Amino acid sequence: MTDTMRALVGGVGPDWELRDLAVPTPGPGQILIRVRAAGLNRADLYMLEGSYNPHSKTSNVYTAGLELAGEVAAVGADVDAVAVGDRLSGAGLGAFAEYALLDHRHAIAVPDSLSWTDAAALPVGLATEHDALVTQGGFTAGQRVLVVGATSAIDLIAVQLAKAFGAELVVATTTSDAKKNALTGAGADVVINTKTENLADVINAATGGAGVDLVLDHVGGPLFGQTFPATRVGGTIVNIGRLAGPQASIDLNQLSFRRLRVLGTTFSVRTADELADACAALVPEVLPAVADGRIRPVVDRVFAFDDALKAAEYLRSNQAIGKVVLEMEEK
């Protein structure tokens, strides 16, 4: 292992800057990952814009990237469950580099069947969507689930999770007919184009007027209020993302008369302990579902590490159906 590494640095301009940095040394409770692939997320772009500041980001200049997969290169003190050479993925700032530090509690085992690029497409989606679906939303088998804005990599995982955990009906939305096949391929029973179809009308027709039990909303904006009449009396709505903006207009009569439970969630302000709990919650059911193929990564396109700026532009273009991944060259 060399003393220096290539890394993409943010906070120095409108784009990442490639720099040579010292390879970090793991402290107590940390592991050093030899990064083989790293997933891009909307949050990476928001950090460049200055509109997203995760709890772990303590300065304006930072090593970019929030999601990675690779082998353990070194372990710090008080780390017993992880060994050098283990194949792991995880979520933690600094992923866009040849080596990255990770809290060992935030690491997720990578099955031998997964490639590095596939493994890098999973950690953020698994932790985010399982937390929203089960921990926050209280999902139980047999419920009907609506996933709003379902064609990104994270949202496609939400569809798969709901299906794998025994949802009676999974409804997914898109704004493009061309993307409908990706949603049915992920397990959606009903797909709605919200540009041309009325959300509540289609869902009420599909559920005999009852509505869905649980909504996972990744869009926010004007569409958020439209989920209320599509949700059953006593149902739950969880807002996860705000791609269409943070402002939404809601009908308080629908909220009250339908006795809805409305929650908001984000990982940007979670503590290290809270993130550890979210990762630990994946072990009993989610990781076995990944290992046996019931939940699979959806990778749209893989870019070389040197083409990171092209990868960011591609993500900004909203063309991707699934994950955009950076691949590190073998050395």
Side-chain angles (χ1 to χ4, degrees):
M1 187 171 69
T2 63
D3 295 330
T4 62
M5 65 179 186
R6 296 190 304 155
L8 293 173
V9 175
V12 294
D15 291 306
W16 301 307
E17 181 179 293
L18 185 61
R19 292 184 178 181
D20 288 328
L21 301 178
V23 174
T25 300
Q30 292 182 319
I31 54 178
L32 181 68
I33 300 291
R34 169 65 172 100
V35 180
R36 297 298 183 180
L40 270 69
N41 291 275
R42 289 280 174 185
D44 296 313
L45 305 183
Y46 297 153
M47 288 174 69
L48 281 174
E49 298 166 1
S51 61
Y52 184 89
N53 187 8
H55 186 73
S56 58
K57 183 172 175 289
T58 57
S59 65
N60 291 330
V61 179
Y62 61 94
T63 303
L66 295 168
E67 186 173 36
L68 57 82
E71 307 113 331
V72 177
V75 299
D78 304 321
V79 177
D80 299 320
V82 176
V84 172
D86 284 354
R87 287 166 49 91
L88 298 175
S89 62
L93 192 62
F96 296 166
E98 292 177 314
Y99 291 89
L101 292 177
L102 190 66
D103 186 319
H104 79 282
R105 300 171 301 167
H106 303 165
I108 300 170
V110 173
D112 291 338
S113 59
L114 285 187
S115 67
W116 290 125
T117 51
D118 279 353
L122 286 174
V124 169
L126 291 177
T128 299
E129 299 303 329
H130 180 263
D131 179 76
L133 181 74
V134 178
T135 306
Q136 308 298 327
F139 172 83
T140 58
Q143 289 188 326
R144 299 177 293 268
V145 177
L146 166 63
V147 182
V148 180
T151 53
S152 77
I154 288 178
D155 311 336
L156 287 166
I157 288 175
V159 172
Q160 294 182 69
L161 275 169
K163 203 67 178 178
F165 286 5
E168 176 188 300
L169 180 77
V170 178
V171 183
T173 78
T174 180
T175 56
S176 170
D177 286 338
K179 295 182 177 181
K180 284 188 171 183
N181 286 341
L183 297 177
T184 55
D189 301 295
V190 177
V191 179
I192 303 172
N193 184 338
T194 53
K195 278 191 173 180
T196 59
E197 299 174 276
N198 182 278
L199 182 66
D201 287 349
V202 176
I203 287 178
N204 285 324
T207 61
V212 296
D213 300 282
L214 175 60
V215 177
L216 301 182
D217 171 50
H218 304 85
V219 175
L223 191 58
F224 181 68
Q226 296 178 34
T227 65
F228 285 36
T231 307
R232 70 164 175 85
V233 173
T236 299
I237 300 170
V238 183
N239 174 258
I240 304 158
R242 290 150 292 281
L243 187 61
Q247 303 299 320
S249 177
I250 65 173
D251 186 330
L252 292 175
N253 282 333
Q254 292 176 351
L255 174 67
S256 300
F257 296 158
R258 301 181 81 85
R259 302 191 298 281
L260 300 176
R261 180 171 173 257
V262 180
L263 306 172
T265 184
T266 177
F267 273 77
S268 64
V269 294
R270 300 284 182 98
T271 66
D273 289 344
E274 289 171 329
L275 290 173
D277 289 343
C279 291
L282 302 176
V283 175
E285 294 182 287
V286 178
L287 297 190
V290 172
D292 66 23
R294 284 175 292 148
I295 298 173
R296 62 191 187 282
V298 180
V299 176
D300 179 277
R301 191 167 171 183
V302 177
F303 288 82
F305 182 65
D306 289 340
D307 291 329
L309 298 186
K310 292 181 181 178
E313 284 306 309
Y314 182 65
L315 185 60
R316 288 188 185 102
S317 74
N318 296 322
Q319 297 178 60
I321 305 175
K323 201 75 174 182
V324 178
V325 177
L326 296 179
E327 186 174 35
M328 301 293 182
E329 63 183 16
E330 294 285 344
K331 288 187 176 180

